[in-house]
Amino acid sequence: MRLFKARVQNYRSIIDSGEFEIEELKTILVGPNEAGKTVLLKALQQLSKPKDVPGFDVLRDYPRAKYNDISTGKVKISNVTVVTGYFSLDEEDKNLLPEEFRDCTYKVYKSIDNQLYHQLENAPPKICYKDIKNDLTRLLTYLDKQYSLKN
């Protein structure tokens, strides 16, 4: 899998980076000192952080100018997304999947309370019980008839 797009928001000096593309061969971060280059990379690291790297700390990592919203209860920390990453599969991995899943994008995002969320975009619709209820009823009716004929 390859990270091809990301977004960082509500993290230290970054209010919202907006979505930005990550090139396949190289990505270069350019900016003056204290512009947020390291902060951006630290936020991205949280998508798949090493064990020895601490997670987010609300007091330290939430933007100071907005912290009053959390302390007064205006904003719930579980609703504050910090980093979002969009991943795509390599071609050889796509070939191992059923056709309808080959163009999917894997989205991972993490909130300031260190909860990690996963989502599959462009996936085929989920099949629910209500979608197959009639088929299951017909199958059970058929099985009931087969069972009663043998006895």
Side-chain angles (χ1 to χ4, degrees):
M1 273 196 313
R2 186 182 82 73
L3 179 66
F4 71 92
K5 185 168 55 169
R7 179 180 185 184
V8 176
Q9 52 193 348
N10 302 311
Y11 184 62
R12 296 188 181 188
S13 62
I14 299 174
I15 301 300
D16 191 351
S17 70
E19 288 184 353
F20 57 93
E21 302 289 324
I22 299 171
E23 293 182 25
E24 189 168 342
L25 297 178
K26 65 181 174 220
T27 298
I28 301 169
L29 295 176
V30 178
N33 290 343
E34 303 296 321
K37 299 179 298 288
T38 303
V39 171
L40 185 81
L41 292 173
K42 285 186 177 211
L44 289 175
Q45 183 183 42
Q46 292 291 320
L47 290 174
S48 180
K49 73 178 191 68
K51 291 181 181 174
D52 61 333
V53 173
F56 294 129
D57 177 31
V58 178
L59 183 60
R60 182 188 71 226
D61 295 330
Y62 195 69
R64 298 256 186 252
K66 298 171 78 178
Y67 187 77
N68 195 37
D69 292 342
I70 287 180
S71 61
T72 60
K74 271 186 184 176
V75 174
K76 291 176 56 176
I77 59 172
S78 60
N79 295 337
V80 178
T81 301
V82 174
V83 61
T84 306
Y86 299 87
F87 294 85
S88 63
L89 290 175
D90 299 323
E91 287 303 318
E92 56 203 36
D93 292 331
K94 287 181 180 182
N95 293 332
L96 299 172
L97 293 174
E99 183 70 34
E100 61 268 16
F101 288 97
R102 290 186 184 165
D103 291 327
C104 292
T105 299
Y106 177 56
K107 177 182 175 183
V108 180
Y109 52 103
K110 191 171 187 180
S111 61
I112 195 82
D113 66 350
N114 292 299
Q115 294 297 312
L116 201 59
Y117 300 95
H118 307 269
Q119 185 176 344
L120 199 56
E121 295 183 340
N122 301 326
K126 292 180 185 177
I127 297 175
C128 299
Y129 173 73
K130 66 178 181 156
D131 299 330
I132 61 171
K133 181 180 176 184
N134 292 336
D135 294 333
L136 289 174
T137 303
R138 282 195 302 273
L139 177 63
L140 287 173
T141 303
Y142 172 78
L143 291 174
D144 282 345
K145 286 181 184 176
Q146 295 299 316
Y147 179 75
S148 64
L149 290 176
K150 290 183 180 180
N151 288 331

